[in-house]
């Protein structure tokens, strides 16, 4: 790793420390608790004072065009003026600035509609007008390239063991003759988005299956009939024969297995079905995967696919007019012939070391995207 030297005066020019101090003062005065979770800062979900039911669908609004130096001390009181907030999520980047958009969830769809009516076009600062719209709140994933012999009950059991928030599973015919697709419903958009980030890699690592995972609109996520017997029988001779017997051949049960709060250890039967002579290491839990930094996640991906440890070379390039610091990089992965090269930009941290760490995280994200793009081609 090459060391990068940046003058401290450059590091302090971006963040508005007066605004940050105002946020800290407001948090202490109101005893408000914020939680940093995977690129977003969250209030509530629900807050401590909430005594009502969990909000139903269409109770959330999407807020955009937020100035980068406006924080929760301004936004939460503003959106709370319409009605009590069940949850507020402000998207953040590594620098400590917001990313210009947020989500506010209310007690009902009626209150959310009232917030849109009152606050859409609201001038939060001179020259800055908020856009407030109904949030899509996608809660369904479409998982493609599953073997045609997959059973709904067994897939539900596997999904509940791998990720949190699984509510329901339906099957539909896939585009290929020897495959099906699954529509998986989750309890919230958050749990669905967290699952979407890891399912491809987990299924590839655990079961040697290459799946496709994408968002599915709730309108088209109805139940589907099982595939005809002749298609199921044909699929037994397909390349999917290595799928665990827990998915393909387990007996049907009259009661769906309960969702697990945490991913359990991989049963020995899983290992035998996949063809392992000994039980492989347990897959990391959802919390462990999403809580890891992009650098750590890239390292795990390379380890899981036996590509070797990624090697970083990063060089400071220049400061842009937008006050972002630009870095060029080269990342070499031993198992891949062509290195990854590119450019990232980050806002400076309080020290040169913290700035370098932010740049490395941004580089790791770009390399992950490049790896996924290559694997899908």
């Amino acid at each position: 790793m090459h060391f990068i030297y940046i003058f401290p005066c450059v590091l302090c020019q971006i963040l508005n420390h007066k605004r940050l101090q105002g946020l800290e003062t407001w948090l202490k005065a109101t005893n408000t608790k914020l939680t940093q979770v995977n690129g977003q800062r969250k209030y509530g979900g629900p807050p401590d004072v909430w005594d009502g039911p969990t909000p139903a669908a269409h109770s959330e609004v999407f807020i955009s065009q937020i100035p980068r130096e406006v924080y929760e001390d301004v936004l939460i009181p503003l959106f709370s003026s319409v009605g009590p907030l069940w949850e507020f999520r402000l998207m953040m980047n590594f620098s400590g600035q917001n990313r210009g958009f947020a989500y506010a969830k209310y007690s009902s769809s009626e209150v959310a509609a009232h917030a849109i009516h009152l606050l859409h076009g609201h001038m939060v600062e001179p020259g800055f007008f908020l856009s407030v719209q109904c949030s899509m709140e996608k809660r369904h994933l479409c998982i493609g390239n599953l073997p045609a012999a997959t059973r709904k009950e067994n897939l539900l059991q596997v999904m509940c063991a791998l990720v949190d928030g699984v509510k329901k599973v339906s099957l539909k015919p896939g585009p290929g003759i020897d495959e099906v697709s699954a529509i998986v419903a989750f309890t919230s958009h958050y749990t669905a988005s967290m699952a979407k980030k890891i399912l491809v890699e987990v299924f590839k690592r655990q079961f040697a299956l290459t799946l496709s995972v994408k968002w599915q609109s709730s309108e088209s996520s109805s139940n589907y009939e099982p595939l005809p017997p002749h298609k199921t029988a044909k699929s037994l001779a397909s390349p999917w024969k290595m799928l665990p017997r827990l998915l393909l051949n387990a007996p049907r049960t009259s009661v769906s297995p309960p969702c697990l709060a945490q991913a359990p250890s991989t049963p020995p039967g899983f290992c035998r079905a996949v063809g392992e002579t000994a039980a492989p290491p347990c897959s990391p839990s959802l919390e462990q995967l999403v809580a890891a930094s992009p650098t750590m996640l890239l390292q795990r991906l390379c380890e899981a696919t036996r590509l070797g440890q990624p090697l970083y070379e990063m060089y400071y390039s220049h400061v842009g007019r937008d006050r972002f610091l630009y870095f060029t990089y080269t990342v070499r992965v031993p198992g891949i012939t062509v290195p990854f090269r590119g450019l990232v930009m980050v806002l400076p941290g309080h020290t040169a070391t913290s700035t370098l760490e932010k740049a490395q995280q941004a580089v790791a994200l770009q390399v992950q995207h490049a790896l996924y793009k290559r694997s899908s081609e």
Side-chain angles (χ1 to χ4, degrees), residues 164-365:
D164 290 338
V166 177
K167 186 177 180 182
K168 186 179 180 181
V169 170
S170 302
L171 297 179
K172 68 175 183 178
I177 191 171
D178 287 333
E179 62 185 68
V180 297
S181 297
I183 308 301
V184 184
F186 289 82
T187 55
S188 68
H189 172 74
Y190 176 76
T191 54
S193 62
M194 293 299 100
K196 184 175 182 291
K197 292 183 178 182
I198 70 166
L199 280 176
V200 170
E201 178 57 34
V202 169
F203 267 81
K204 187 174 183 179
R205 179 181 180 182
Q206 194 82 349
F207 310 133
L209 285 177
T210 302
L211 305 180
S212 64
V213 181
K214 59 185 180 181
W215 289 111
Q216 174 78 14
S217 62
S218 57
E219 290 77 9
S220 57
S221 57
S222 56
N223 290 324
Y224 294 90
E225 294 295 327
L227 295 175
H230 71 274
K231 187 170 183 179
T232 301
K234 185 173 182 178
S235 69
L236 295 178
S238 72
W240 302 109
K241 60 185 179 180
M242 295 304 292
L243 186 74
R245 285 191 293 271
L246 181 60
L247 272 178
L248 297 181
N249 301 321
R252 295 182 180 272
T253 57
S254 57
V255 180
S256 298
C259 291
L260 305 177
Q262 295 180 347
S265 299
T266 305
F270 259 46
C271 306
R272 290 194 297 270
V274 176
E276 299 285 347
T277 56
C282 296
S283 296
S285 68
L286 175 64
E287 292 81 5
Q288 290 172 325
L289 280 173
V290 301
S293 68
T295 305
M296 292 300 298
L297 184 53
L298 176 60
Q299 179 178 328
R300 287 195 176 189
L301 290 174
C302 291
E303 289 175 352
T305 51
R306 299 180 181 179
L307 294 174
Q309 294 286 342
L311 304 175
Y312 296 80
E313 292 181 12
M314 298 180 355
Y315 299 90
Y316 168 66
S317 176
H318 65 281
V319 180
R321 291 184 178 180
D322 52 7
R323 295 188 179 180
F324 278 82
L325 304 181
Y326 287 74
F327 296 83
T328 59
Y329 68 85
T330 300
V331 176
R332 292 180 171 84
V333 179
I336 299 177
T337 305
V338 180
F340 298 91
R341 292 187 172 91
L343 180 73
V344 296
M345 60 181 187
V346 297
L347 288 170
H350 296 290
T351 65
T353 300
S354 64
T355 302
L356 179 57
E357 290 174 353
K358 293 177 184 179
Q360 186 176 3
Q361 305 280 24
V363 169
L365 279 175

Side-chain angles (χ1 to χ4, degrees), residues 36-240:
Q36 186 85 23
V37 181
N38 201 45
Q40 58 184 313
R41 205 156 57 196
K42 186 175 74 168
Y43 159 77
D48 295 337
V49 296
W50 190 267
D51 58 359
T54 301
H58 310 298
S59 301
E60 186 175 77
V61 298
F62 171 67
I63 310 152
S64 60
Q65 300 181 26
I66 302 172
R68 294 300 181 95
E69 294 179 345
V70 169
Y71 299 107
E72 290 88 346
D73 57 322
V74 173
L75 297 171
I76 289 180
L78 175 62
F79 283 85
S80 295
S81 66
V82 179
L85 286 171
W86 188 84
E87 181 182 73
F88 188 90
R89 295 181 289 128
L90 181 61
M91 304 301 113
M92 305 295 295
N93 60 29
F94 290 117
S95 70
Q97 282 190 323
N98 76 65
R99 294 166 58 192
F101 64 99
Y103 297 87
K105 181 171 287 190
Y106 293 96
S107 59
S108 67
S109 58
E110 291 79 12
V111 180
H114 191 46
I116 295 173
H117 175 71
L118 291 179
L119 297 178
H120 179 66
H122 176 81
M123 187 170 68
V124 67
E125 282 192 345
F128 290 92
F129 299 88
L130 297 178
S131 173
V132 184
Q133 302 173 357
C134 182
S135 173
M136 296 299 293
E137 288 190 275
K138 295 179 181 179
R139 301 186 183 189
H140 296 79
L141 295 179
C142 178
I143 302 177
N145 302 332
L146 287 167
T150 301
R151 291 181 174 177
K152 181 173 66 174
E153 302 91 343
N154 308 129
L155 179 60
L156 175 63
Q157 184 177 0
V158 170
M159 290 294 299
C160 287
L162 294 176
V163 296
D164 290 338
V166 177
K167 186 177 180 182
K168 186 179 180 181
V169 170
S170 302
L171 297 179
K172 68 175 183 178
I177 191 171
D178 287 333
E179 62 185 68
V180 297
S181 297
I183 308 301
V184 184
F186 289 82
T187 55
S188 68
H189 172 74
Y190 176 76
T191 54
S193 62
M194 293 299 100
K196 184 175 182 291
K197 292 183 178 182
I198 70 166
L199 280 176
V200 170
E201 178 57 34
V202 169
F203 267 81
K204 187 174 183 179
R205 179 181 180 182
Q206 194 82 349
F207 310 133
L209 285 177
T210 302
L211 305 180
S212 64
V213 181
K214 59 185 180 181
W215 289 111
Q216 174 78 14
S217 62
S218 57
E219 290 77 9
S220 57
S221 57
S222 56
N223 290 324
Y224 294 90
E225 294 295 327
L227 295 175
H230 71 274
K231 187 170 183 179
T232 301
K234 185 173 182 178
S235 69
L236 295 178
S238 72
W240 302 109

